[in-house]
Amino acid sequence: MTTHPESERILILDFGSQYGQLIARRVREHQVFCQIVRHDLDAKRIAELKPRGLILSGGPGSVYDENAPRCDPGILELGIPILGICYGMQLTCQILGADVKAVSTREFGRAQCHINEPDKLFSGVPGDTVVWMSHGDQVIDVNGEFIPLAQTETCPVAAVRHRQRPVYGLQFHPEVSHTPHGGRILRNFLYDVCGCQGLWKMRSFIEEAVERLRAQVGSERVICGLSGGVDSSVAAALLIRALGAQVTCIFVDNGLLRLNEAEVVCRTFRDHFQADLRAVDASERFLDALAGVTDPQEKRKIIGHVFIEVFKDEARRIQNVKYLAQGTLYPDVIESGSAADGPAATIKTHHNVGGLPKELGFELIEPLRDLFKDEVRRLGLELGLPEQTVYRHPFPGPGLAVRCLGEVTRSRLETLRQADAIFLEELKRSGWYRETAQAFAVLLPVQSVGVMGDGRTYENVIALRAVTTEDFMTADWAQLPPDLLARVSTKIINNVAGVNRVVYDISSKPPATIEWE
């Protein structure tokens, strides 16, 4: 049994929905492979990809607008099952003769939905259920071509099925958590309508990836840029599983890492994976370049430039290298517009090793480019990576330099490193580390008055930041228990020299960003 994308694939036609990636993640959760493609991908190309089904996403436009995004009507003649969501439903219904118009009573938020016709799509879903609506247009007249399957108080056609074709539509969003039975509806479409069997499993993915990497690389050598983060660590582990001694990992210690992080990376890959690891201590080089710099963008530019120079110097010491591997994930591919059939969008300028493949004359390998973050974590566990690596919180490329506000010095970094380590350790001990998506300490460029013993102090302020989020596009501040925050504050002030005040950041994104710089 194989998990090769050709064997069981769902294509998601992207009409600009804010939930496009969420639809894909929900499909993957049902162990079905899917890809996000342009909304205007022509029917011939879609047929060549041999998908089991198509999902047409929502979007911000109206189907009757002059410049409304359209799909190739020919996709409706392919006989491939189609599920239109919100805008996608309106568009497919309009193409097949239904009437779509703006209505006076728009629906945004939760709505009570009544299922009129259970059909395959609503098998196992209660007759009355809550759904998440976000629309101002509606299908007004199905013109005899469609059977209405569900309705809400203000939307008489909340779901449809075509009478002859395998075409379904949902006016609501099944992919969001606010639609409690949305997962069941999507599963019904994938399994009962499209005939999927759920072949997209990590263990089989490893077998497929190993076979593909061995065929691509042959006997050549590969360099893997290893940062110690989840993505690069899993990419390195997969490459080592496939190619063994042909892989050399380069780890650059820039002096901006968290407490004991360099030692953990070296121990994991040298001792556990017996990897050919070149660990470069370039901390002095980075700190010298950052001396006196306080502007956050300038910090980022300097760190990126020095990293490239250090990486190039080390890479040139390795003979007969043809490939450079990096841990690009599927969201990076979507956002960069680099997928062959993907949407065009702004290319990320800060991702991993940037232009190094071109500069060094290497060919690029991206073994994780089909995976979302949660899938990468599952893959890491299958490959034997320790949980502390797999569930490590995201860490910015510039490291502690953008959490050490103001000038970056060795002493200020050490203060921040110690406070951050105390915070993370207490989160892990209390069980809150896995409940938060990202948590860290920030050293502020101000000092405050305090009292310690019989004397006054004028010392540093540490800010703590912890957020919960699904996609990092938006985030809420984590409502950590007061006793936990009190314990962290006390430990930091008592154990980290030069700190006399700890504050907690209760800003959400937006308007704030997750990082401070």
Side-chain angles (χ1 to χ4, degrees):
M1 187 175 290
T2 179
T3 60
H4 193 280
E6 295 292 336
S7 67
E8 198 169 79
R9 185 203 308 257
I10 299 294
L11 296 181
I12 300 168
L13 277 61
D14 183 11
F15 290 91
S17 171
Q18 61 180 318
Y19 301 130
Q21 287 194 36
L22 186 54
I23 297 172
R25 287 180 59 196
R26 294 292 181 254
V27 172
R28 297 277 187 93
E29 286 171 3
H30 293 295
Q31 298 182 326
V32 175
F33 182 77
C34 67
Q35 292 172 299
I36 298 175
V37 298
R38 298 192 315 266
H39 65 270
D40 58 351
L41 198 63
D42 65 72
K44 181 180 178 183
R45 176 57 180 149
I46 287 176
E48 290 172 352
L49 293 170
K50 299 178 181 177
R52 288 289 184 90
L54 306 176
I55 296 177
L56 278 58
S57 82
S62 295
V63 296
Y64 45 77
D65 287 347
E66 184 178 351
N67 297 317
R70 314 290 294 181
C71 62
D72 182 349
I75 66 173
L76 299 169
E77 307 300 326
L78 297 175
I80 299 171
I82 293 175
L83 175 64
I85 297 175
C86 198
Y87 180 92
M89 167 181 161
Q90 295 163 9
L91 182 59
T92 51
C93 288
Q94 185 191 58
I95 291 172
L96 293 172
D99 191 16
V100 180
K101 289 182 180 178
V103 292
S104 57
T105 306
R106 300 182 298 173
E107 282 187 309
F108 293 96
R110 290 180 177 87
Q112 194 70 30
C113 183
H114 177 71
I115 311 300
N116 299 320
E117 295 279 345
D119 200 79
K120 290 182 180 179
L121 202 59
F122 292 105
S123 176
V125 177
D128 289 288
T129 185
V130 174
V131 298
W132 183 262
M133 289 287 195
S134 180
H135 68 98
D137 298 338
Q138 288 184 12
V139 175
I140 302 299
D141 180 8
V142 295
N143 199 28
E145 293 288 323
F146 290 89
I147 300 171
L149 301 178
Q151 66 183 66
T152 69
E153 184 178 354
T154 59
C155 182
V157 186
V160 295
R161 174 176 63 82
H162 194 271
R163 292 184 182 277
Q164 285 83 39
R165 305 168 190 258
V167 175
Y168 292 79
L170 299 172
Q171 185 57 71
F172 56 86
H173 290 273
E175 70 274 19
V176 302
S177 59
H178 306 301
T179 301
H181 296 282
R184 179 58 188 259
I185 295 169
L186 284 174
R187 181 181 176 85
N188 288 342
F189 176 72
L190 298 171
Y191 283 73
D192 298 339
V193 178
C194 299
C196 295
Q197 300 174 49
L199 304 179
W200 181 248
K201 294 181 173 66
M202 282 303 109
R203 187 165 297 177
S204 298
F205 173 83
I206 293 172
E207 297 171 2
E208 183 70 36
V210 165
E211 182 181 328
R212 186 168 57 247
L213 284 167
R214 288 174 178 169
Q216 179 182 0
V217 173
S219 60
E220 303 289 347
R221 296 197 69 184
V222 179
I223 287 177
C224 180
L226 182 61
S227 70
V230 179
D231 305 341
S232 68
S233 296
V234 174
L238 180 58
L239 286 161
I240 293 167
R241 171 74 65 91
L243 305 169
Q246 293 171 243
V247 181
T248 297
C249 297
I250 297 179
F251 170 63
V252 177
D253 181 357
N254 57 14
L256 305 169
L257 302 175
R258 289 177 285 203
L259 188 66
N260 300 326
E261 203 152 35
E263 292 86 345
V264 170
V265 171
C266 292
R267 186 168 61 248
T268 298
F269 282 89
R270 279 192 179 137
D271 299 347
H272 186 70
F273 288 102
Q274 287 79 51
D276 178 11
L277 174 64
R278 312 290 175 93
V280 184
D281 184 356
S283 54
E284 293 291 344
R285 191 166 170 179
F286 279 88
L287 291 176
D288 288 347
L290 288 168
V293 177
T294 59
D295 179 76
Q297 287 306 107
E298 189 64 22
K299 288 180 186 178
R300 291 176 181 273
K301 289 178 183 177
I302 290 170
I303 292 166
H305 175 75
V306 175
F307 173 80
I308 287 175
E309 292 304 313
V310 172
F311 195 95
K312 284 165 63 177
D313 290 346
E314 189 63 28
R316 286 171 179 148
R317 294 189 177 96
I318 305 169
Q319 301 297 314
N320 304 317
V321 176
K322 183 176 181 180
Y323 297 98
L324 176 65
Q326 68 178 28
T328 307
L329 304 192
Y330 192 47
D332 300 318
V333 174
I334 296 168
E335 291 175 28
S336 70
S338 58
D341 296 308
T346 303
I347 294 177
K348 284 187 169 184
T349 57
H350 60 277
H351 186 264
N352 296 337
V353 293
L356 279 172
K358 186 176 181 180
E359 286 188 30
L360 294 174
F362 295 144
E363 292 183 31
L364 185 62
I365 292 177
E366 299 170 310
L368 309 181
R369 64 181 284 118
D370 284 330
L371 302 182
F372 285 99
K373 192 79 168 190
D374 54 331
E375 294 173 317
V376 170
R377 294 190 196 280
R378 294 203 302 273
L379 175 59
L381 293 175
E382 287 279 352
L383 290 167
L385 280 167
E387 283 200 12
Q388 68 176 24
T389 298
V390 171
Y391 290 105
R392 175 182 183 266
H393 282 184
F395 192 57
L400 295 181
V402 292
R403 294 176 179 174
C404 183
L405 277 56
E407 186 178 5
V408 181
T409 66
R410 189 175 293 278
S411 62
R412 296 191 79 225
L413 284 170
E414 190 57 29
T415 298
L416 174 58
R417 204 172 270 124
Q418 295 292 333
D420 186 72
I422 289 171
F423 185 32
L424 297 183
E425 180 59 34
E426 288 300 321
L427 287 176
K428 290 173 183 175
R429 187 173 297 165
S430 64
W432 271 93
Y433 186 81
R434 292 281 291 274
E435 295 297 317
T436 55
Q438 196 166 3
F440 53 90
V442 180
L443 179 60
L444 304 187
V446 296
Q447 291 185 311
S448 73
V449 175
V451 177
M452 287 189 177
D454 296 324
R456 292 170 67 83
T457 61
Y458 193 59
E459 294 181 330
N460 292 302
V461 180
I462 289 288
L464 304 177
R465 178 77 157 142
V467 299
T468 58
T469 179
E470 278 200 0
D471 55 14
F472 290 90
M473 300 300 292
T474 62
D476 293 321
W477 60 276
Q479 299 188 34
L480 300 180
D483 61 330
L484 171 58
L485 289 171
R487 189 162 63 249
V488 172
S489 175
T490 300
K491 279 198 171 184
I492 290 175
I493 291 172
N494 287 347
N495 292 280
V496 181
V499 175
N500 68 357
R501 191 177 298 268
V502 175
V503 298
Y504 188 53
D505 183 348
I506 60 170
S507 310
S508 294
K509 176 187 179 183
T513 55
I514 295 176
E515 296 287 347
W516 277 50
E517 282 193 341

